[in-house]
Amino acid sequence: MAIIGSLIKGAINLKDALSPEPNHEESQQKVLQELLTIASGTEFGKEYDFDNILESKNIQEEFANKVPYFDYHQLLEKWWGRVIDGEPNVTWPGSPDYFALSSGTTGKKSKRIPVTNEMIESIRSAGIKQVEALSNFDLPASFFEKDIMMLGSSTDLQEREGHLEGEISGISASNIPFWFEGFYKPGKEIAKIDDWDKRVQKIAENAKKWDIGALSGIPSWMELMLQKVIEYHGVETIHDIWPNLQVYTSGGVAFSPYEKSFNSLLKQPITIIDTYLASEGFIACQDRPETDAMKLITNNGIYFEFVPFQPEYINQDGSLKQEAPSITLKEVETDQDYVLLITTVSGAWRYIIGDTIEFTDVERAEIRITGRTKFFLNVVGSQLSVNKMNAALRVIEEKFNIEIPEFTLAATRIHDEFYHHWYLGSETTIDNEMLAKELDEVLKKANKNYKVARSKALKGVKVTTVLPIVFSEWSGAQKKKGGQVKMERVMSEEKFATWEAFISENDPK
């Protein structure tokens, strides 16, 4: 009998039973008040008169009226550039010990996002909440004695001018609690290897030494790691190496595109738990098995606001217009996409994180990620968001019995006429024209705006299939392999031309 596992599970169950569900609206009001109070003496707090906001009868409304929206580049230009240069007390008291290097799916180079000690504690606290939520899943006591494979970026952080830099997963892993180190795999030495391929090779070589019960990481990179382990040991599934594997915590992207290909690597089903860890903070995690939606962590140093994701509020480049209205958690509704804004203990203020979300349960504050603001394809009025693209591809997978874990597309011009050109990562031999015709029909049926666009400026759809591995090789060529890297789903014409040149040289299909 797993005695230690039973004790751990019992302690988790007891804590969960004694911890009441927070009032999410009240928690958010309290978080905002604390953030404004702590930062009132900073240069940012003085600029936007936080002391005056705190005296208002409606702090949330006054905060929204006085402080503008900021994307990364706006914050960097006026505020975070000074933080990076070492100036203290700019957007948060003191100076941060860490900077998270964002993989930057839409930017040309990595962003450097301040990570304060308060944010490290916030991420650690959210991780504990996630572990506590396991009590809601039907897991045996023995599970709580197994190892956890965390496939993030390198923990070998780079020292620069008095602080450390790395991706957020590497920063988080380098700050794991001492009591967790015995469960953490691949362990500190392997986790420090910066080269992703070499790190995965070491994981494959050591895989049989570990009794892995849970996996954690980005789906695309997790799949590649599992494939490498399976190939190295000459087995059929990952359960032939790790028979006690029962849980996978996905993060940052929708798992549904990877579901078919991921399951093909397993001998038996495992529990999938979604989490939402971004470079800017740990935002949400799934805490019950009845849904794949994630609960916003509303009492942990992050204040949330929401802008309805409507075309009239979004600039052509995917940025948010300042006149767009924002609402609080109290005002949100289900079945509506929102641009997510966060204000955090790392000195991000009304920050446009770049993701769009929808609420599945307002009372529980449960959400799903639906896409990226800059992956919204509306060049000719088609109004395609990533969730609509994903949904269409799941229909295509079902119809043709194929797997399409990766894709990207762009609105391209041929003789001054617009086409949507899709690249699908799939090993299928089905004719591209047949896939294009079916994809076009599925999108017409599911999206009236797309149907209207197809009758006017959008002249057609093109599909090119390439092997899924090409997408990871593209990321590697962009020096963005592994860690928190996510494939860009919508490209500009300029970027798409570079992509197509890469494909012509590297697709072995």
Side-chain angles (χ1 to χ4, degrees):
M1 180 179 177
I3 297 176
I4 296 176
S6 295
L7 291 172
I8 294 172
K9 184 177 182 180
I12 291 173
N13 286 337
L14 179 61
K15 189 174 191 315
D16 185 64
L18 296 175
S19 302
E21 177 76 9
N23 182 308
H24 296 293
E25 293 176 18
E26 291 180 1
S27 294
Q28 281 288 273
Q29 292 171 9
K30 183 178 179 181
V31 166
L32 178 60
Q33 185 168 19
E34 290 174 347
L35 291 168
L36 292 170
T37 300
I38 293 170
S40 61
T42 65
E43 294 302 311
F44 192 96
K46 294 173 184 175
E47 173 84 9
Y48 294 104
D49 201 359
F50 281 5
D51 286 335
N52 187 264
I53 294 175
L54 285 164
E55 293 176 1
S56 171
K57 293 181 179 179
N58 189 329
I59 291 176
Q60 292 171 293
E61 183 179 313
E62 190 69 10
F63 176 65
N65 289 335
K66 284 201 169 182
V67 181
Y69 304 137
F70 289 93
D71 63 20
Y72 172 77
H73 298 290
Q74 290 165 335
L75 261 182
L76 178 68
E77 182 178 353
K78 188 171 182 181
W79 300 102
W80 278 355
R82 295 159 61 184
V83 179
I84 292 169
D85 289 340
E87 184 179 341
N89 305 316
V90 178
T91 59
W92 194 254
S95 296
D97 290 333
Y98 301 90
F99 282 88
L101 301 179
S102 168
S103 55
T105 49
T106 55
K108 293 183 179 180
K109 61 182 181 180
S110 291
K111 303 170 184 176
R112 300 172 71 205
I113 297 166
V115 180
T116 61
N117 289 331
E118 291 91 340
M119 179 55 74
I120 294 292
E121 182 56 38
S122 172
I123 292 172
R124 184 183 290 119
S125 175
I128 292 172
K129 291 178 189 290
Q130 183 184 345
V131 172
E132 292 171 354
L134 290 174
S135 64
N136 298 327
F137 295 81
D138 187 21
L139 297 168
S142 59
F143 168 79
F144 295 90
E145 294 184 329
K146 306 303 179 187
D147 297 327
I148 300 176
M149 170 64 69
M150 297 172 63
L151 188 68
S153 53
S154 171
T155 58
D156 187 19
L157 307 178
Q158 302 302 306
E159 187 171 353
R160 178 172 175 173
E161 298 175 357
H163 60 261
L164 297 173
E165 295 185 347
E167 287 192 12
I168 193 64
S169 56
I171 294 173
S172 300
S174 67
N175 282 277
I176 60 173
F178 73 91
W179 53 265
F180 183 68
E181 291 180 3
F183 298 96
Y184 167 58
K185 297 294 179 285
K188 289 185 175 180
E189 290 306 310
I190 295 176
K192 283 183 178 180
I193 299 174
D194 188 54
D195 185 288
W196 191 84
D197 293 307
K198 291 180 180 178
R199 189 163 7 120
V200 169
Q201 177 65 28
K202 282 293 185 183
I203 289 172
E205 292 171 2
N206 288 274
K208 283 192 173 182
K209 300 177 183 178
W210 306 321
D211 187 7
I212 301 296
L215 305 169
S216 178
I218 298 290
S220 55
W221 302 112
M222 185 62 68
E223 276 195 29
L224 289 176
M225 184 275 286
L226 295 179
Q227 289 168 358
K228 180 66 176 180
V229 173
I230 291 169
E231 176 188 334
Y232 181 85
H233 293 280
V235 295
E236 292 185 4
T237 74
I238 196 61
H239 279 112
D240 296 314
I241 302 297
W242 296 326
N244 295 310
L245 176 62
Q246 297 182 68
V247 171
Y248 169 46
T249 59
S250 174
V253 295
F255 178 71
S256 58
Y258 304 94
E259 187 171 6
K260 288 189 71 173
S261 56
F262 190 90
N263 287 340
S264 69
L265 305 175
L266 310 175
K267 184 177 291 183
Q268 65 255 6
I270 63 176
T271 299
I272 307 297
I273 301 175
D274 275 328
T275 63
Y276 188 179
L277 172 63
S279 298
E280 296 83 359
F282 202 141
I283 291 169
C285 62
Q286 182 184 346
D287 77 341
R288 59 191 184 104
E290 299 91 340
T291 178
D292 61 357
M294 300 172 287
K295 180 183 291 185
L296 287 174
I297 305 175
T298 56
N299 57 353
N300 195 37
I302 301 179
Y303 175 70
F304 302 104
E305 295 173 272
F306 314 91
V307 175
F309 189 43
Q310 305 290 356
E312 59 267 31
Y313 302 146
I314 309 297
N315 294 311
Q316 192 65 54
D317 64 357
S319 60
L320 189 63
K321 295 180 179 179
Q322 283 293 338
E323 61 268 25
S326 67
I327 59 177
T328 66
L329 190 59
K330 184 178 182 179
E331 303 161 288
V332 296
E333 301 174 347
T334 57
D335 301 319
Q336 164 69 56
D337 281 4
Y338 294 102
V339 178
L340 180 62
L341 307 177
I342 61 172
T343 293
T344 78
V345 289
S346 271
W349 297 98
R350 308 200 78 207
Y351 182 85
I352 306 165
I353 197 170
D355 291 326
T356 60
I357 58 100
E358 67 173 352
F359 281 84
T360 59
D361 189 315
V362 173
E363 185 176 354
R364 295 178 185 267
E366 288 180 339
I367 64 163
R368 288 194 185 98
I369 301 171
T370 57
R372 298 281 293 173
T373 55
K374 293 190 177 182
F375 292 170
F376 181 59
L377 190 60
N378 194 35
V379 174
V380 288
S382 53
Q383 294 189 28
L384 279 183
S385 59
V386 172
N387 61 324
K388 291 176 181 175
M389 300 174 198
N390 280 331
L393 292 179
R394 302 295 73 79
V395 175
I396 300 299
E397 282 186 327
E398 188 70 24
K399 180 177 179 63
F400 294 105
N401 192 28
I402 60 176
E403 297 173 2
I404 312 173
E406 296 286 3
F407 75 92
T408 193
L409 75 154
T412 60
R413 283 175 286 193
I414 302 176
H415 305 304
D416 292 326
E417 292 183 329
F418 277 102
Y419 291 78
H420 283 179
H421 190 167
W422 295 67
Y423 273 82
L424 306 182
S426 179
E427 297 184 6
T428 182
T429 56
I430 295 170
D431 181 70
N432 285 337
E433 290 187 7
M434 184 181 298
L435 290 170
K437 181 179 179 181
E438 188 62 31
L439 181 57
D440 190 32
E441 291 302 316
V442 170
L443 289 169
K444 284 178 183 175
K445 292 177 182 177
N447 183 357
K448 64 180 181 181
N449 293 304
Y450 176 86
K451 185 176 181 180
V452 171
R454 280 289 286 113
S455 68
K456 296 181 179 179
L458 183 59
K459 295 304 179 184
V461 173
K462 292 181 65 179
V463 164
T464 303
T465 56
V466 296
L467 292 177
I469 189 67
V470 174
F471 287 81
S472 61
E473 294 304 320
W474 161 262
S475 293
Q478 307 298 303
K479 297 182 180 179
K480 297 177 180 178
K481 200 169 188 180
Q484 297 294 110
V485 178
K486 308 163 190 118
M487 181 65 194
E488 50 211 312
R489 296 310 189 193
V490 176
M491 294 185 179
S492 65
E493 284 191 83
E494 180 184 1
K495 188 67 170 286
F496 199 67
T498 306
W499 160 262
E500 291 200 295
F502 177 85
I503 293 298
S504 67
E505 297 175 4
N506 293 277
D507 182 25
K509 192 170 181 179

